Structure formats: structure tokens, C-alpha cells
Amino acid sequence: MKVRPRRDRRRTTQARPAAPLLWALVSLPGAAALAAPFPGLGGAPQGPVVQLIDTSESGDHTDVSVEFSCSMRYISNTPVSHGSQVTIRLMLGPDCGSSLQTVPPELPLVGGGSHLITGARVDSMLPGEITLELQFARPLDFVMAPTASGLGLRVRLLNTRERRAGVSIEEPRAASEYAVNLESSQKPIARAEVQAAAADLGVQAYVSQTEVGDQAWYRLRVGPFATRADAERTLQAALARYPRAWVTEADEQGLPTATGAPAASAAPAVAIAAAGVTDPPLPDAERAQILRKAQVALAQHQFPEAVNLLTQLLRQPEYPQRAEAQELIGLVRERAGQLAEAKAEDQEYLRRYPNGPGAARVSERLRVLAAASLKATTGAVFGAGKPERRTTFAGSASLSYEYARDQTISAGTTSTTNAANAALAYGDFLLRHRGDRYDLTARVDGGYTYNAASVAGTGGGSQDQTTAAYGEVVDRNWGVTARLGRQSLASQGVVGLFDGLYVGYQATRDWQVSVAAGLPAYTNFSSVSGQQKFGTVTTEYNPHHGKWVFDAYAYDQTNDIGTERRSVGLQTRYSAAGRTAVALVDYDVQFKQLNSVTLIGNTSIGKYWVVGFDADHRRSPLLELSNALIGQNATDLRTLQNQFTPSQILQMALDRTATSNTVVISASRPFGERWQFMADVSALELSSTPASFGVTATQSTGLDKNGTLQISGASLLQSGDLHIFSARYDNSPLSRSTTLSWDGRFRLYGAWRIGPRLSVEQLDDPTLGGRQMLYLPQVRTDWTGRTSIFELTAGYQIVNQQAQLQPLTVTGQIQSSAVDQRSLYVTAAYRVRF
């Protein structure tokens, strides 16, 4: 990934043809030569593809804002609407450069102080595409949508309300409803444990006492819940910390019901200790399948899923392989950073299996865990009464290095250049004081790039960047949030970052209104500039906090000579179990043109199939007055105003803005335990632009059609390995390409993993009479600890091109020429959260 000075993205989004070769090739004297094929080379994204990932907590949901350095087209996401992580597939837009490029991995920091997102990763398995993977602290419901400009993505995490949970130690009164039994013990449960359960799950926690024979048992529970479905949802969140939790009827006397009133009466229940609960025995084959799934989940760092699977095995009556499951759950807890739970599981193993095959390993891990100290969490504290007054500090930091070297061989001449040689340091620091009424937050998110490479035409040099620098005040009594400084918003009306003021007001439980005003900052490399100003008003309606959410906004932005952009928009989101839908409309009032219309839907069909649909119609680039500068010698609108009338400048902006139409249909399903199938077909067309005001016309790309097939398998060569096989075919009026790739991930020692990869692409372009073969071998290895990750990636790309020159004057025969380009890149990154 080449690091070079940033430019205003609005100047770099001139509509370009979608055909891969026309993006990738430029002409050299006597032959067609390749533009550099991986990021940063030959017009690729400047710097990281993902500029920032920011989080904002609000009531019962958390909004995640993702900003890209160039436009992206949403393809699909897996899973559809619920899971402990989500993988989002995106297609690089025309302003991202060559569609042949394969983006090196990125590990963007997640800002905002939310602990719901534990990590993010950007990867590229197919040329012209990236995947963005977000890992969550626990299984969550979510829904997502691209922004009107295509330069951002919004993900909303649902049902994350931080309620002030009550704590009861005394014997409660009865309720004929449901509760979740977290733990059972023959010893009284400390109040601190009850408060911790209330804090983790955000619902009332209490201790119930019963007798089994002559033995008193103390049961740690949360609830009550009006329906079993509500209890099951909390159970899924609880299993990560309480693996032996289960749903039961709330049979205690005097417990306040879910409606707030105490139940009339109920007989005391006799509860079995959680540690002694056994399920009906499963067939040996099914137990072996569950164990393999747990091993795969651990290898993929899907810790909550691994705990859920292993808990099923530990609830089984004793069987020969149970010891392996008991050892594995201790390892999962340790990898997830739950050291206290890991110690308990390891101790349980030694109690049950003192002479077991893993006793030596478990004893050594237990010795290490005994020496480890548990750190206090930095999240919110819940319990009885008001939250405690306290000040917390949290953050994350990363240090990375990138090196790339290009070599081009043409007509016997070899040229070598350093494409990248840069060190990047990033940090996100958040200081928060939580009081009885007011929450105060100060945040700084920035970094510095030291660029030692001198790349022709880019200016080179080192740069600092600021993604966030603001102060925030939250008044919980009035439901008001005010934030001043550099920030980003999840509002569809705001493009990128801005320097200014945001005020949000929770008018009612269902209605929220917000306003923002300030100075746009199109990239995190942008300094504060007063050349343009904006203001926006947004309202959100979420009736009864149900499945539907409606957003509407009005946006106005001015420049040196008048209105830059004036638009109104509406977004509707629908989310239910196994189904999501998003509709987005943006209309420009100044140009009286539709800026974008997007419809995205995903649904589960039957037990296994998931089908997705994405239809997108938009202006490319985003319709703004500054588009009039495309193709002109003038560098600013004030200079252009001296040459043309206001109505002519409006027409120039309209003429320079193409229209794109995209349709994507995707489907996926698992086959057996170890295989996953996914396929999609898509079509894209970019319109022509007329010749006017001295700028030549651009031709339409025609209909670019492509299809992708992906099959993934787990535990094929070793327990917990992963293999992804992909094939893609692209057919446009200008070119055809076929890509095959394989991506593998294997466990090494301890927390180390290794991932080899190979991609091969053949591209034919009749207009140039040339054929390209692209080979990209790559290997990456990573080490993942409790709060940190280290990753090393190396790749070597080879591009062979056979191109035709002009016919010879005398013979009229076609002469061929070969151009080879080789690109080596190495990246190393270390990231830590604290």
C-alpha cells in the first residue's frame, strides 16, 4: 500500500470506465504498459483503504461509521443479521484505480471507546474486491447500509441497551415467568458477583436459595422475562461468561414480574445445581461433529461460538471424549481473555481427570494463570442505584511498516522503483468521566506517516493525520449529547469527517433529532479549512424500538461562490431474525436530480439458504458543484466563475457527472459441517458523459457482467484449518477476465497462525490485442494475544502482458511486444488495545 499525499476526493472521482483493462493500462511509446497492479501503484487508493472506523453508543443500539478513501460498492454480508462477527464484501469503485489490484491486509483501529467491536480487518481475496471483517464481543443483531456518496458504510448494532440493572440479594417473591440460571453453588454468592452479572447482561440480577435434600443451594439468576424468547436471547449473551447457564421458570416467591408487579404466589422450586445438569445423551458421531465445530471456531477466534458448542458437550453424561472438551473450553476461555473462567475450567479438568491425557498441559496453563492478575474493565459499571462517579481511560494503538518494490521489463529494458517504504503510527485515546447526570468525554485519534519512498508524481513526504479530536458532554436527564471538534457521524447527510459542532436530542423513546454544522474535512489528512461550510438536520423514528427504523435528513453545503450541494434524503431499515432490508434515497434540490437510490435485502430461506439482493442507482461521482472543475484548467470555482456564468457552471457539473447502475444477487448455504458455498452474479453499467465546455466526451462502459463462486472448507488437512477456493468471471464489452484463487489458514504453535494464498488471473482485451496473466502468491502469519495482535504479510505479484504494436509500414504485419512487471511487498503491523 503506497503512502502518498492526500488529495480532495471530489477531484479524483472523475467517472472512469468499469472495464478492468481500461482502468489498468496506460499507453507507453510503441507498446501498452501496465499500470502498477497493487494498492498505491498506478492510481490505486492513496494510503489505507479504510480511513476510520468509529463507534457511537446511543440507548439500545450502537452506530458504527466506516469511512473509505475511495468509493465502494456493497456486494453482500455474511451472516445476514446476527452473529459474533460479520464479513462484508465490497467492490472497489472507479476512483479507486486499477481493478486488477489486490489490496494488502489492513488492521484499522476501531475508535469511539465501545467494547462491542473487538477488532477489524481488511482483506482482498479477488482483484477489485475487498472484505471488511468486524469482530464483536458477543453475538449481536445488526443491519447495514452504504452512504449516499459510496464513500462510507454504516452498521447499526441492535439491542445493546445499557440499562441500569437492579441487584437483589434477599429471597425474592415468586413469578410465573422465565429467568436465566447463571450459576449454582453450595456457598452463598457474594454481592459483587451479583453486581457483575447485572453489569454484563444489563438486566436485574438476584440470588435465589433452595434445598436439594438436606443441602442448601444458592442460584445466581437474571430476569424475570415475560417470554421464553426474551430469556433465550439473554441466555445467548450470557453463555460467553456463564457456559453452564440455562433457561428456567422464574419460580421464586416475591420476584417482581416483567411487568413490574409482584406475582401472587408460587411454590418454591427445587433447582438442580448447574454443574450437575446433564442433557439426554447424543450419538457419538454427533458429539464428534460438535467437537470439530468448536475446534474450527477456536481457530477462527470465534470464542463465544466455541464456548456454546463445548457447553453442549459438557452437559452430556460422562463419555470417553468429554475430557478433551473440558480441556478445550479452558483454552478457549484463556484465549478470550476470561482468565478467571479459564482457571475454573482447568481446575474442573484436574478434579475430574487427574490422570487424564491433558493433565500435564492443563496443570502448566493453570500455573501460568495463577500468576496472572486480572485488570479492572474500563466499561460502564451497572448495579443498584445510580452509576458510580469515576474516570476511565481506554484506547488503542498500532505501529506498522510497509515496503514495496516494482520492476518492469519491456523491450529488453529493466526499470526498478521503490513503490513504498513507510512507517505508520496510529493512536486512539479516550478519557471519560461518568457522573450521576453528566458524562464527559475527551478523545484524540491520530497518527503520523513517515514516508521514505520518493514516488514520481506524488510528491512523497511524510504526513500527520487527525481522525478525531473532540470534547463531548452527555446530559442523561435531558437526553442531550453535544460534541465539538473533529468527528464523524452516522448521518447519511454528512460526507466524511468534519470540524464543527454536533447536538443530538432524544425527544421521546421513539424520536431522536440531531443537528450538525461546521467545515468538511474530506480525509483524515485534511487540515481545518474554511473554504466550504455545511449544516444538516437529521431525525430518526424507531417506533417502539421495533423492527423498523426511519431516518430523514436535510443537508446544505456552501463554497466560495454559492451552494455546493443541497439535498434531502430518506433511509428505511428493517431488521428481523434472518431478514434485513435497507432503502436509501438522496435527492439534490439544487440540481433537481436524483443523487442515489439503493435497495438492499437479505433473507434466510429454509434452514440453510441465505439470499441477498442489492440494486443501486447513483451519480458517479456524488453530484456537487465542484464537479464542474473536472477536465478544466481552473483549480477552484472562483477562477471558473470568471470564465462562465453560474448557470453554465451548474451545467458543467451535471455534464461531468456520470450515472452508474448496479445489480447484485447472492446466495450462500452450508453443506454438511465443514463446507460453505457462496455465489453471486452482478451487472454494472457506467453511463457516458457529453462533450461540453472544452471537455471531451466519455463513452459508456456498456454492461459489465461478472459472477463469483466461493467454496470454503474447514478441518481438511488439520483440525481447525480453513480453505477458501474462489473463481470469478468478468465479461464486459471491452474485456474478459477469469480469476482463480485459494486462501488457506493453518494453526502453528500456540497463538500463531499462517495463511498462504495464491491468485491467478487471465485478462483479454480485444481493443489492445493483448493478453495479461497475473500471478499473486502471498503468505501472512499472525499472533493474537488477549489485547494485541502482530501480523506479517509478504507478497510477490507477477504480471505478464502480450500486447500488439501498430502494423509495420512496409509489411503491414502486426508486431507483438511483451511487458513483464514484478512487484514485491512486505507489511508488518502490531496493534494493541488497552
Side-chain angles (χ1 to χ4, degrees):
M1 171 172 50
K2 179 179 296 183
V3 182
R4 56 175 86 170
R6 296 294 181 119
R7 295 173 290 177
D8 190 328
R9 286 181 294 183
R10 294 169 300 125
R11 308 295 187 267
T12 61
T13 51
Q14 167 68 36
R16 282 182 272 181
L21 195 57
L22 200 55
W23 285 356
L25 300 180
V26 294
S27 297
L28 289 181
L34 282 172
F38 74 92
L41 308 181
Q46 301 175 357
V49 171
V50 173
Q51 283 201 93
L52 69 94
I53 300 178
D54 203 13
T55 59
S56 175
E57 297 177 350
S58 176
D60 63 347
H61 65 268
T62 295
D63 287 320
V64 183
S65 302
V66 183
E67 296 292 338
F68 303 111
S69 60
C70 58
S71 62
M72 298 286 164
R73 300 183 187 277
Y74 169 88
I75 299 177
S76 62
N77 65 271
T78 306
V80 173
S81 60
H82 180 83
S84 58
Q85 68 178 38
V86 61
T87 299
I88 309 163
R89 288 181 59 208
L90 301 162
M91 183 185 300
L92 301 180
D95 53 311
C96 292
S98 168
S99 66
L100 288 178
Q101 62 187 291
T102 303
V103 177
E106 298 177 11
L107 295 173
L109 293 177
V110 179
S114 174
H115 292 271
L116 292 175
I117 300 184
T118 59
R121 179 186 176 88
V122 176
D123 220 331
S124 179
M125 296 193 59
L126 294 172
E129 287 187 14
I130 66 169
T131 59
L132 171 61
E133 182 180 285
L134 301 176
Q135 295 97 32
F136 306 139
R138 63 175 188 268
L140 293 169
D141 297 321
F142 51 80
V143 64
M144 65 189 64
T147 63
S149 65
L151 294 168
L153 182 72
R154 306 300 182 235
V155 182
R156 171 160 291 188
L157 307 178
L158 306 172
N159 304 316
T160 61
R161 176 181 293 277
E162 296 183 350
R163 291 174 293 186
R164 196 172 295 171
V167 176
S168 174
I169 298 295
E170 50 279 342
E171 182 71 22
R173 296 161 297 190
S176 56
E177 295 176 327
Y178 296 94
V180 177
N181 195 96
L182 302 178
E183 290 181 342
S184 298
S185 173
Q186 295 179 5
K187 298 180 180 180
I189 297 174
R191 182 181 182 88
E193 295 183 39
V194 185
Q195 292 175 323
D200 288 341
L201 302 175
V203 293
Q204 177 179 249
Y206 61 92
V207 174
S208 174
Q209 183 176 348
T210 189
E211 291 185 358
V212 179
D214 296 331
Q215 178 64 55
W217 286 92
Y218 300 89
R219 307 175 298 188
L220 175 59
R221 292 185 169 185
V222 292
F225 302 95
T227 66
R228 188 177 187 90
D230 293 337
E232 291 286 353
R233 181 180 292 275
T234 300
L235 173 65
Q236 292 303 313
L239 286 173
R241 184 177 178 88
Y242 304 97
R244 293 184 174 85
W246 48 289
V247 173
T248 183
E249 290 189 1
D251 47 23
E252 297 83 8
Q253 296 181 357
L255 178 67
T257 68
T259 59
S265 63
V270 177
I272 302 175
V277 173
T278 58
D279 293 340
L282 298 173
D284 290 342
E286 186 172 348
R287 289 169 175 163
Q289 290 176 353
I290 295 174
L291 182 61
R292 285 197 297 270
K293 286 183 178 180
Q295 292 169 337
V296 172
L298 172 60
Q300 298 176 354
H301 296 214
Q302 298 175 358
F303 302 127
E305 181 179 350
V307 169
N308 293 345
L309 293 167
L310 292 170
T311 299
Q312 295 180 41
L313 298 178
L314 296 179
R315 288 176 177 173
Q316 289 289 292
E318 190 65 37
Y319 67 104
Q321 285 73 40
R322 190 187 183 283
E324 184 177 355
Q326 184 67 54
E327 179 184 3
L328 191 59
I329 197 171
L331 183 60
V332 171
R333 292 294 195 182
E334 182 180 345
R335 295 278 179 83
Q338 300 170 348
L339 302 188
E341 291 84 352
K343 288 173 60 177
E345 299 294 356
D346 289 345
Q347 290 169 348
E348 177 68 10
Y349 180 96
L350 295 177
R351 185 186 70 82
R352 282 177 172 265
Y353 315 105
N355 300 315
R361 294 189 299 269
V362 173
S363 296
E364 176 62 19
R365 284 203 301 268
L366 193 58
R367 183 188 65 80
V368 175
L369 289 173
S373 60
L374 295 179
K375 298 181 179 180
T377 61
T378 58
V381 171
F382 302 94
K386 297 181 179 180
E388 300 176 7
R389 289 181 178 271
R390 63 175 188 151
T391 301
T392 59
F393 178 75
S396 55
S398 74
L399 181 65
S400 62
Y401 173 75
E402 303 164 357
Y403 176 82
R405 190 175 183 86
D406 294 344
Q407 183 182 71
T408 302
I409 305 173
S410 178
T413 302
T414 301
S415 61
T416 303
T417 59
N418 284 342
N421 185 11
L424 303 91
Y426 297 93
D428 185 13
F429 308 101
L430 187 143
L431 181 65
R432 174 177 293 159
H433 175 76
R434 184 179 293 271
D436 291 342
R437 175 176 177 178
Y438 297 102
D439 290 346
L440 307 177
T441 301
R443 181 185 173 200
V444 176
D445 181 354
Y448 181 78
T449 300
Y450 174 75
N451 188 8
S454 178
V455 183
T458 67
S462 302
Q463 294 175 284
D464 55 9
Q465 63 185 74
T466 304
T467 301
Y470 62 77
E472 180 185 88
V473 179
V474 177
D475 185 333
R476 290 196 299 274
N477 288 1
W478 286 93
V480 175
T481 299
R483 188 184 308 129
L484 178 64
R486 173 157 294 190
Q487 55 190 289
S488 64
L489 293 179
S491 166
Q492 295 294 324
V494 177
V495 179
L497 303 171
F498 74 95
D499 299 298
L501 175 66
Y502 162 83
V503 178
Y505 174 57
Q506 189 74 43
T508 68
R509 182 175 181 272
D510 299 336
W511 285 93
Q512 181 177 350
V513 180
S514 63
V515 297
L519 313 173
Y522 290 96
T523 76
N524 49 12
F525 286 86
S526 302
S527 59
V528 179
S529 172
Q531 292 183 353
Q532 297 193 8
K533 303 176 180 63
F534 82 93
T536 182
V537 178
T538 305
T539 182
E540 178 181 295
Y541 177 56
N542 184 4
H544 310 295
H545 286 251
K547 301 176 180 179
W548 291 92
V549 179
F550 302 91
D551 291 297
Y553 63 84
Y555 181 84
D556 184 81
Q557 183 174 333
T558 61
N559 53 40
D560 288 342
I561 67 172
T563 300
E564 172 76 3
R565 179 187 171 209
R566 182 172 295 160
S567 64
V568 294
L570 175 67
Q571 178 179 281
T572 302
R573 299 188 297 272
Y574 171 81
S575 178
R579 299 187 303 276
T580 63
V582 175
L584 168 66
V585 179
D586 185 279
Y587 180 81
D588 194 287
V589 177
Q590 177 179 221
F591 289 94
K592 297 181 174 59
Q593 297 285 330
L594 197 61
N595 214 339
S596 65
V597 179
T598 302
L599 177 62
I600 299 174
N602 292 282
T603 184
S604 299
I605 299 179
K607 188 176 181 180
Y608 300 108
W609 283 99
V610 175
V611 177
F613 175 79
D614 175 18
D616 182 86
H617 168 87
R618 69 177 57 245
R619 290 288 183 164
S620 180
L622 183 71
L623 190 55
E624 296 177 318
L625 191 65
S626 293
N627 292 357
L629 294 171
I630 297 175
Q632 298 291 333
N633 293 325
T635 58
D636 57 71
L637 290 172
R638 190 170 294 281
T639 302
L640 204 64
Q641 188 182 35
N642 296 330
Q643 306 172 29
F644 302 97
T645 65
S647 60
Q648 288 177 320
I649 294 177
L650 281 172
Q651 187 61 46
M652 292 167 66
L654 198 58
D655 290 346
R656 300 289 80 76
T657 307
T659 300
S660 71
N661 294 289
T662 307
V663 177
V664 180
I665 299 175
S666 62
S668 64
R669 66 153 293 166
F671 284 96
E673 305 217 335
R674 297 188 287 178
W675 295 94
Q676 176 82 21
F677 165 85
M678 183 168 61
D680 65 72
V681 293
S682 63
L684 165 68
E685 184 174 22
L686 194 66
S687 71
S688 61
T689 59
S692 63
F693 303 99
V695 180
T696 59
T698 62
Q699 299 299 314
S700 170
T701 62
L703 191 62
D704 187 346
K705 306 171 289 293
N706 66 75
T708 302
L709 175 65
Q710 188 177 99
I711 299 175
S712 61
S715 299
L716 302 183
L717 301 180
Q718 68 170 202
S719 176
D721 68 7
L722 178 65
H723 302 261
I724 302 176
F725 306 92
S726 302
R728 186 178 71 180
Y729 177 73
D730 187 286
N731 189 341
S732 75
L734 297 178
S735 66
R736 294 184 302 277
S737 68
T738 303
T739 306
L740 301 176
S741 68
W742 167 72
D743 184 18
R745 299 179 188 179
F746 301 91
R747 292 183 294 108
L748 292 177
Y749 175 76
W752 284 96
R753 296 189 306 169
I754 190 170
R757 170 184 295 170
L758 176 63
S759 177
V760 179
E761 179 175 13
Q762 175 182 300
L763 189 145
D764 295 292
D765 191 299
T767 62
L768 296 177
R771 169 176 291 186
Q772 294 184 44
M773 292 298 300
L774 182 149
Y775 307 91
L776 177 58
Q778 178 182 289
V779 63
R780 73 171 183 266
T781 181
D782 65 77
W783 174 88
T784 303
R786 180 185 176 190
T787 58
S788 60
I789 180 171
F790 173 77
E791 182 170 288
L792 180 66
T793 303
Y796 189 71
Q797 182 164 290
I798 305 172
V799 182
N800 299 326
Q801 179 192 352
Q802 295 292 331
Q804 294 179 354
L805 301 178
Q806 296 297 324
L808 296 180
T809 305
V810 178
T811 64
Q813 296 179 345
I814 300 296
Q815 182 183 19
S816 297
S817 174
V819 178
D820 291 345
Q821 180 161 322
R822 302 165 189 267
S823 302
L824 168 69
Y825 63 91
V826 178
T827 64
Y830 177 75
R831 183 179 64 180
V832 62
R833 296 173 63 89
F834 48 86

